[in-house]
Amino acid sequence: MFDNLTSRLSGVIKTLRGEARLTENNIQEALREVRMALLEADVALPVVKEFIARVKEKAVGKEVIGSLSPGQALVGVVHQEIIALMGGEKADINLSTVPPAVILMAGLQGAGKTTSSGKLAKWLMENKKKKVLLVSCDIYRPAAIHQLGLLASQIGADFFPVQTGQQPKEIASAALSFAKTHFHDVMIVDTAGRLAIDEAMMKEIGELETLLKPIETLFVVDAMQGQDAVNTAKAFAEALPLTGVILTKLDGDSRGGAALSVLHVTGKPIKFAGVAEKLTGLEPFHPDRMASRILGMGDVLGLIEEAQRGVDQREAEKLAKKMKSGKSFDLSDFKMQFQQMKNMGGMSAMMEKLPTQLSQAAQNVKIDDKVIGRTEAIINAMTPQERAKPEILKASRKRRIAAGAGVTVQEVNRLLAQFEQAQKMMKMMSKGGMTKMLRSMKGMLPGMR
Amino acid sequence: MPGFFKSKNSSGNNSVSVESGPESANWTARMRAGLSRTRDNLGKRISGLLGGGKIDETLYEELETILLTADTGVDATNWLLDELRRKVKRNNLTDAAQLKDALQEALITLLEPLAQPLHTDTHKPFVIMLAGVNGAGKTTTIGKLANHFQRQGNTVLLAAGDTFRAAAREQLMAWGERNRVAVVAQESTGQQKADPAAVIFDAVNAAKARGTDIVLADTAGRLATQLHLMEEIKKVKRVIAKAEPGAPHETLLVLDANTGQNAINQVTAFDDALGLTGLIITKLDGTAKGGVIAAIARQRQQKSPLPIRFIGVGEGMDDLRPFVASEFVEALFD
């Protein structure tokens, strides 16, 4: 729905053609587009401004090397800078202290603290072989304590029972001595969601921090959060000595610009990302992947790869030739594409990587990830001849294929219809001399390499 | 400096969330209190900007910046600025201060179609289904809604349709207890989760039997990208219609005001799946500026507007209020 950075940039990049070096003047418009794209991705404005300034500084005066267009050179700079801003390296959780290592969770309401506490406990138990105690100091939200208790029993972690009427500080200190006497390696303390402007509540969590002396104080932030992430993060970082961030709900379709804002303000690494609502849905955070996501790229990545390697002209032309005939794109190619897609993280990830025009065309080809396996099975059930010439498929062949793949004939028909559409798409692309587009597609539709 | 943007509590202090207390304070004042952060951030900056002087490109650029920082989004921001430019041209505005009124007008134009209060007297029981992403505030909102409808003299029944999240049922039951409202729930035993559609089906039938006015159906939070869960919630809606033809009479998306531009994706995805009839914006009492409301309004401008039925402006039981465009904008600019 949103114009991503690429489609924004592609127009501007054209105007940049034929200039030998990047100057303040010729990149101004492009930088404005970068700015807009980052804002659309919910990166906070102050962060965007600083970022743009840095890109400008790096880009201006840069010579445009070889066959690159100046636009491509600029995109390269943007990508490098965004990775630099993300910190580049993966940060591990710190547990090196006299046990129990206390982890304090903090954040806004609904950021996902309680669920993340449960997930983190499970992760630590499985990956670090730790004995974990879960403690809830959320006496405000109804059933919050009960919720953590349920999560604890689901993952088999210990849970500190809270008496009604206990105050957060009482709970914390009682839990701490409980953890000591029961030899827990790690104690995860969940807290109530709070607004950064709620002084009383911020004071409370500050006191909890003083009391517990946590080795990790993790700021839990929703990947969908907007511009305000920067203010929230600032307030929490001022009130608490944060040591890291957990970015939640990353399995949604938000661009997650909040990650950049939070990183920028707190200077603390994002240690984990919540990627599914199941209790196994917590992963160590990969800054490089996030950089691509914020840029809404994939296709930009392609551009950059192209920029870095330069394009092998002959390869591109060979590809163009094959595509021009349209017909030569057969079911084997189709299957190969599916397999590549699977390796690349499924259809949804793949769609993101397509250039804008293409992905719009591809929307007609309704494919979801689960279908991929079945599609493969159907194509596998065909003979090489059938794969090369799908038009020979008549009723009896279809019946045989359906039986072989364990699907219905309707599904075989559906696949063939899809294939036809894909073929049409390929034809469409090969028309109009879109060699430029093909070049940028190289590496994106790997089936046609 | 002209008094347009003069703020009554001129210091941007933090007493906001605390002062939401006295019952006597009228609604506008309360909303102002709740939104005062927004005002501090957005209004004051605009007022600082539009205090006087020439109207030039730098000014527009600054305005753009301010709107974008409020999560208004690129599209809505551009639209508002275009409107402003048109007004400036048409009315020969020359003073930057006049821009404030023009901007306020444009915002009201944009938001007015969204201000349609919810009428629950058309059906009995009137079934309201709430959906939204995880952590938007659905369950808490139901607690507040129950209170709201009760104070209007309605009888209310809650349906604990979030059978997925641990203790969501208990959370809703706690709200039921606070409001002395019956809650229909099913215990999930071990790995066997209760079926949300069945729970709500039972609740609607119970409401019919008891002659209850309003049924509030909670659902589990889900991200729009989780296709199987979007299918599940479609089913929930279909099953509700089996218990009571025409129900749910209101299908609301609960949206966290802190959400950035993804809010638009959320609205689109849930609308496609469920056919939304309205929105509830929660957590407007934080530092979030709620500009996303404008982004949504702009996005739906060409289609039928999606009314904002309620906005949440505080932690208190009665801090959930109907949305009034002019009040919202005024509170924003006061």
Side-chain angles (χ1 to χ4, degrees):
Chain A
M1 177 185 339
F2 290 116
D3 297 327
N4 59 28
L5 188 57
T6 331
S7 57
R8 283 184 170 282
L9 279 179
S10 56
V12 184
I13 282 173
K14 271 184 205 134
T15 65
L16 276 180
R17 203 173 287 165
E19 310 224 12
R21 62 175 66 227
L22 300 174
T23 66
E24 201 153 326
N25 284 333
N26 66 16
I27 61 170
Q28 196 161 23
E29 204 184 333
L31 283 180
R32 192 179 152 78
E33 294 299 321
V34 174
R35 174 172 175 269
M36 285 301 176
L38 291 174
L39 285 168
E40 288 273 64
D42 293 325
V43 182
L45 190 72
V47 185
V48 174
K49 277 191 174 156
E50 217 183 299
F51 179 81
I52 296 291
R54 209 168 330 147
V55 169
K56 200 164 167 185
E57 193 184 304
K58 289 258 166 81
V60 168
K62 199 172 180 157
E63 284 195 38
V64 179
I65 321 152
S67 62
L68 297 185
S69 78
Q72 287 163 343
L74 180 66
V75 171
V77 175
V78 170
H79 188 248
Q80 274 165 14
E81 277 309 302
I82 229 169
I83 287 186
L85 192 61
M86 300 293 299
E89 265 169 51
K90 208 177 102 194
D92 205 5
I93 192 151
N94 181 11
L95 300 173
S96 48
T97 180
V98 184
V102 178
I103 302 175
L104 183 66
M105 311 286 271
L108 290 180
Q109 289 94 339
K113 287 174 299 302
T114 307
T115 306
S116 296
S117 301
K119 286 176 175 178
L120 184 57
K122 187 174 170 70
W123 191 87
L124 288 171
M125 286 161 69
E126 282 172 4
N127 293 284
K128 303 267 176 178
K129 306 281 173 253
K130 297 294 182 192
K131 184 178 175 190
V132 181
L133 178 70
L134 281 166
V135 183
S136 175
C137 288
D138 186 354
I139 56 170
Y140 307 98
R141 182 164 62 92
I145 296 177
H146 187 62
Q147 182 185 352
L148 193 68
L150 281 180
L151 292 177
S153 70
Q154 277 172 28
I155 58 178
D158 291 332
F159 177 66
F160 180 74
V162 178
Q163 324 286 323
T164 35
Q166 262 181 320
Q167 289 305 300
K169 272 205 286 185
E170 293 166 21
I171 298 171
S173 56
L176 196 58
S177 50
F178 181 89
K180 275 178 189 157
T181 50
H182 291 75
F183 304 106
H184 286 98
D185 301 314
V186 180
M187 173 170 133
I188 301 176
V189 182
D190 184 21
T191 61
R194 62 201 72 220
L195 294 170
I197 48 167
D198 191 333
E199 279 175 11
M201 289 294 280
M202 290 310 278
K203 185 162 164 266
E204 181 205 272
I205 199 165
E207 287 170 358
L208 281 179
E209 202 276 336
T210 321
L211 184 110
L212 290 164
K213 297 182 198 68
I215 179 103
E216 288 273 15
T217 303
L218 299 177
F219 179 52
V220 182
V221 63
D222 187 334
M224 296 185 283
Q225 209 185 344
Q227 294 284 325
D228 199 47
V230 73
N231 301 327
T232 319
K234 198 185 284 167
F236 273 90
E238 275 163 12
L240 289 170
L242 301 178
T243 58
V245 176
I246 296 184
L247 194 63
T248 62
K249 304 180 210 173
L250 208 52
D251 47 336
D253 55 359
S254 63
R255 287 253 193 270
L260 268 191
S261 312
V262 172
L263 265 174
H264 181 83
V265 175
T266 63
K268 299 297 179 234
I270 298 176
K271 300 206 166 175
F272 289 95
V275 293
E277 58 178 339
K278 300 232 167 62
L279 283 165
T280 48
L282 188 76
E283 284 178 357
F285 180 75
H286 297 279
D288 45 339
R289 289 187 206 163
M290 194 63 211
S292 307
R293 176 170 174 146
I294 290 174
L295 283 173
M297 358 198 259
D299 33 358
V300 175
L301 260 186
L303 276 173
I304 292 155
E305 274 172 18
E306 183 190 3
Q308 280 161 350
R309 286 195 228 111
V311 170
D312 185 339
Q313 200 59 37
R314 259 178 307 173
E315 276 268 9
E317 262 157 34
K318 219 163 74 189
L319 179 61
K321 223 177 205 170
K322 183 167 188 188
M323 303 258 310
K324 221 162 223 157
S325 63
K327 248 189 191 165
S328 68
F329 176 78
D330 62 16
L331 276 165
S332 311
D333 296 327
F334 195 50
K335 183 184 138 196
M336 209 144 49
Q337 278 189 19
F338 270 106
Q339 278 167 339
Q340 298 278 4
M341 267 177 222
K342 217 160 57 177
N343 298 336
M344 293 171 74
M347 190 63 196
S348 34
M350 181 73 196
M351 289 291 256
E352 292 246 308
K353 295 193 175 71
L354 292 170
T356 327
Q357 303 104 306
L358 231 179
S359 66
Q360 269 158 10
Q363 262 160 21
N364 305 327
V365 193
K366 283 248 166 90
I367 312 166
D368 83 64
D369 290 337
K370 266 190 198 168
V371 181
I372 294 183
R374 227 178 299 164
T375 309
E376 249 184 82
I378 297 174
I379 301 179
N380 281 340
M382 296 177 185
T383 66
Q385 197 199 1
E386 286 166 346
R387 280 178 222 171
K389 286 188 176 172
E391 55 274 13
I392 66 172
L393 288 173
K394 295 285 174 307
S396 82
R397 281 181 195 265
K398 283 180 188 168
R399 265 202 303 278
R400 192 205 77 236
I401 292 164
V407 297
T408 60
V409 175
Q410 282 88 342
E411 270 174 285
V412 177
N413 284 331
R414 207 174 308 143
L415 167 79
L416 289 173
Q418 276 173 2
F419 166 70
E420 247 170 66
Q421 256 175 316
Q423 207 178 24
K424 246 184 241 162
M425 206 167 86
M426 297 296 159
K427 264 187 199 158
M428 189 185 82
M429 280 169 14
S430 61
K431 269 180 208 154
M434 289 196 218
T435 29
K436 178 111 200 336
M437 187 172 149
L438 283 177
R439 233 188 291 156
S440 67
M441 268 185 45
K442 184 180 171 290
M444 284 163 226
L445 284 180
M448 299 177 303
R449 225 181 260 270
Chain B
M1 179 172 135
F4 282 115
F5 278 75
K6 207 165 56 191
S7 176
K8 266 152 207 144
N9 51 342
S10 51
S11 63
N13 60 26
N14 289 337
S15 63
V16 187
S17 57
V18 194
E19 76 182 22
S20 59
E23 190 60 44
S24 58
N26 67 28
W27 159 224
T28 315
R30 292 177 62 100
M31 181 149 91
R32 274 191 196 140
L35 287 171
S36 74
R37 275 272 136 188
T38 314
R39 195 168 62 242
D40 283 353
N41 282 309
L42 183 64
K44 284 205 180 134
R45 284 175 63 191
I46 294 182
S47 62
L49 190 68
L50 304 185
K54 272 201 326 239
I55 299 175
D56 56 13
E57 271 313 301
T58 338
L59 188 67
Y60 282 117
E61 202 145 300
E62 276 295 313
L63 264 183
E64 179 189 51
T65 302
I66 292 163
L67 287 168
L68 286 173
T69 326
D71 285 321
T72 311
V74 174
D75 187 33
T77 299
N78 286 343
W79 185 83
L80 282 167
L81 290 179
D82 286 349
E83 279 290 289
L84 267 191
R85 281 178 210 271
R86 224 170 296 146
K87 278 188 207 264
V88 166
K89 223 174 181 181
R90 192 179 336 127
N91 305 330
N92 287 323
L93 304 181
T94 48
D95 188 3
Q98 292 169 303
L99 266 189
K100 176 246 174 182
D101 282 336
L103 183 59
Q104 202 163 332
E105 237 175 77
L107 262 169
I108 292 180
T109 316
L110 187 62
L111 296 179
E112 193 64 68
L114 276 60
Q116 299 171 28
L118 181 60
H119 297 291
T120 55
D121 45 10
T122 49
H123 297 86
K124 189 175 174 174
F126 191 89
V127 183
I128 302 174
M129 173 180 174
L130 285 93
V133 299
N134 314 67
K138 286 175 297 302
T139 310
T140 306
T141 299
I142 287 196
K144 292 181 185 174
L145 277 177
N147 180 272
H148 170 85
F149 288 127
Q150 267 187 324
R151 286 197 308 180
Q152 290 188 341
N154 293 303
T155 50
V156 179
L157 184 77
L158 307 183
D162 183 355
T163 56
F164 181 84
R165 204 197 71 206
R169 188 178 71 104
E170 284 75 6
Q171 187 181 347
L172 195 72
M173 282 162 73
W175 279 109
E177 232 163 85
R178 272 187 210 178
N179 289 314
R180 295 202 192 80
V181 166
V183 180
V184 173
Q186 238 178 63
E187 191 140 11
S188 298
T189 47
Q191 286 305 306
Q192 194 62 48
K193 304 271 186 202
D195 178 19
V199 174
I200 301 174
F201 183 88
D202 286 351
V204 174
N205 280 331
K208 280 159 77 177
R210 298 177 196 190
T212 308
D213 297 321
I214 290 169
V215 179
L216 292 166
D218 195 12
T219 61
R222 64 202 73 221
L223 299 177
T225 45
Q226 296 161 329
L227 296 176
H228 61 294
L229 293 180
M230 294 307 280
E231 286 302 320
E232 182 202 74
I233 202 166
K234 279 188 211 168
K235 177 190 159 190
V236 169
K237 193 182 175 195
R238 286 197 302 270
V239 171
I240 293 176
K242 282 181 187 160
E244 170 74 19
H249 308 101
E250 184 77 8
T251 309
L252 296 172
L253 177 70
V254 180
L255 201 64
D256 182 339
N258 286 295
T259 315
Q261 297 312 302
N262 188 249
I264 294 173
N265 296 27
Q266 288 176 30
V267 169
T268 311
F270 278 93
D271 191 33
D272 286 348
L274 297 174
L276 297 177
T277 56
L279 296 173
I280 295 180
I281 313 287
T282 61
K283 307 185 205 173
L284 262 171
D285 51 330
T287 43
K289 299 163 196 75
V292 75
I293 294 180
I296 293 167
R298 169 65 191 139
Q299 205 251 336
R300 306 266 308 195
Q301 213 174 21
Q302 307 305 328
K303 297 184 249 171
S304 58
L306 199 53
I308 297 174
R309 301 298 196 190
F310 295 95
I311 57 176
V313 292
E315 297 252 311
M317 211 29 146
D318 47 359
D319 284 331
L320 191 73
R321 297 299 183 123
F323 174 75
V324 182
S326 55
E327 282 182 3
F328 180 82
V329 174
E330 261 166 45
L332 224 66
F333 284 87
D334 182 26

